[in-house]
Structure formats: structure tokens, C-alpha cells
Amino acid sequence: MKITVLGKGVVGKSSLTYRFINFNAPEEHDPTIEDRYKTTANINGSDYEIEILDTAGEEDFQNMIDMWISFGEGFLLVFAINEKESFRLIRGKYDRIIKAKHGDKTVPILLVGNKLDLEKERTVTFDEAKQLATSLGIEYMETSAKNNFNCKEAFENLAQKIIDSKKSIPKPNPSPCPCCNII
Ligand code: GDP
């Protein structure tokens, strides 16, 4: 399955991804334009291959956002709980996903408030983030990539939503055999 990680720059998208794929984060790295990773994860007892597209959040790369959205079957929408602006930008990114998915509001999306370890610098309350998520019909989780808190859980939660969404796609009606009319 394919996951796209979206959000403003420096909110911790790469750090969260590194936690999920068990990659030792470099002390410093170039801001991502886009990086692709493959990993295997056990979701509810079954192994799945997961491709992750970790994207840039900066305005310079906004012309690539539709390509990143078309890659994803599910989306982590990430902001930092200590950066109001990153939260303010979430709604626009959500709208862009839904528009690119032809208005399908069942597309699996998880809202993630990262940098939970910076609770003392929090400017986005749990309640306002939860309220936004509820109004969009999606779930909200808080993580700390620094403390490795809830990172795998966030990806696994989204992966489960992707699995569920694939199960709920109706199968086409089987056609009867033309000679005996048996289905
Ligand atoms: P990206 O641009 O969204 O991919 O963000 P990065 O993963 O590159 O992280 C940007 C900066 O935030 C880096 O200095 C990270 O070490 C730091 N960072 C990422 N996640 C956390 C976190 O959960 N807590 C804290 N305190 N810093 C974090």
C-alpha cells in the first residue's frame, strides 16, 4: 500500500517516517523534496509491503503536490503542536487531497500533531485539533518523533484504514456463464 506524508516543512515528517522504517535519522539532513521508502509491516497479523512518500512542505514545491497526492492511497497530514501556522495549513492540504480524489471523502487520512515532547511550547490544543479532525471526518493522533512516541502506531493506524477501505470497495457483480446461465 502507498502512503503519502504531507505537512508544512520542519514539522517532523521525515523524522516520523524514519521511526516507522527503523532508519537511524541523521543529525542533519537536507530538507526533503521527496523521498521514497519501502518497508514491510505486520498489520493485524498479516505482513504488508508499504511504500512511503515523504514530501517537502515548502511552498517552492507546491506544484508537485498533485503528483504526491496521486501516489498515495492514504495520507498522514502532519503539523507540529508548537507551530500554529502548520496547523492552519492543514485544511488546505485536506481540501486538495479530496479534490484530487474527485471528492471522495472516504479516502484514508490521519491527522497527526507531532512534537508532543514540546508540550510546554504547545500553541495548538488537543481539543482544537480533535475538533478539526472530527469536522473533516478523520481521526487525530499526537506523536513525538523525538521520543519515538506513537510513531509506528500512527502509520499502522493509517495502514489499517487503507486495508479497510480496500475491503469496502464493492466487487463487480459476477456475470452468468453465457451457455448455462450459472454464476
Ligand atoms: P520535515 O521537514 O517535516 O520532514 O521535518 P524533519 O523530520 O526534517 O524535522 C525537522 C526538525 O524538527 C529537525 O530538527 C528534527 O530533529 C525536529 N523534530 C522532528 N520531530 C520532532 C519531535 O517530535 N520533537 C522535537 N522536539 N523535534 C522534532
Side-chain angles (χ1 to χ4, degrees):
M1 66 185 90
K2 295 185 166 99
I3 291 178
T4 299
V5 187
L6 288 172
K8 187 173 179 286
V10 202
V11 296
K13 298 180 297 296
S14 300
S15 306
L16 282 167
T17 305
Y18 294 155
R19 288 297 191 188
F20 182 57
I21 63 171
N22 286 322
F23 178 72
N24 274 334
E27 277 296 307
E28 290 198 9
H29 66 279
D30 291 336
T32 314
I33 297 174
E34 66 163 56
D35 286 313
R36 290 169 192 243
Y37 304 95
K38 259 188 200 172
T39 190
T40 306
N42 190 282
I43 314 287
N44 257 337
S46 303
D47 283 338
Y48 291 88
E49 188 174 87
I50 302 185
E51 284 185 70
I52 301 163
L53 179 58
D54 173 25
T55 68
E58 303 304 343
E59 294 303 313
D60 306 1
F61 305 117
Q62 287 303 302
N63 56 348
M64 294 175 77
I65 195 168
D66 289 330
M67 193 193 71
W68 295 332
I69 291 172
S70 71
F71 170 89
E73 295 171 297
F75 300 85
L76 281 189
L77 269 182
V78 187
F79 69 94
I81 64 153
N82 65 333
E83 201 206 336
K84 196 93 186 178
E85 177 64 8
S86 67
F87 178 66
R88 201 187 58 74
L89 293 173
I90 290 290
R91 178 68 209 229
K93 293 185 193 302
Y94 171 87
D95 288 343
R96 197 128 175 204
I97 294 170
I98 299 300
K99 189 171 168 221
K101 298 293 181 187
H102 313 291
D104 177 10
K105 291 193 173 171
T106 66
V107 57
I109 302 174
L110 182 69
L111 180 63
V112 174
N114 188 41
K115 305 200 181 181
L116 186 57
D117 56 289
L118 299 179
E119 180 67 45
K120 285 192 183 135
E121 297 168 26
R122 184 193 273 274
T123 51
V124 182
T125 67
F126 180 88
D127 284 350
E128 67 185 308
K130 175 85 184 148
Q131 219 167 52
L132 174 67
T134 304
S135 74
L136 301 176
I138 63 178
E139 207 179 315
Y140 175 55
M141 282 179 76
E142 296 195 332
T143 59
S144 168
K146 184 174 180 185
N147 291 349
N148 201 5
F149 174 75
N150 254 355
C151 306
K152 284 200 176 217
E153 287 81 353
F155 278 93
E156 286 169 4
N157 182 333
L158 179 63
Q160 185 64 61
K161 290 184 196 315
I162 296 172
I163 294 164
D164 293 344
S165 76
K166 286 185 179 179
K167 274 190 203 143
S168 64
I169 296 171
K171 291 198 175 73
N173 283 334
S175 338
C177 170
C179 63
C180 55
N181 226 20
I182 294 173
I183 292 176

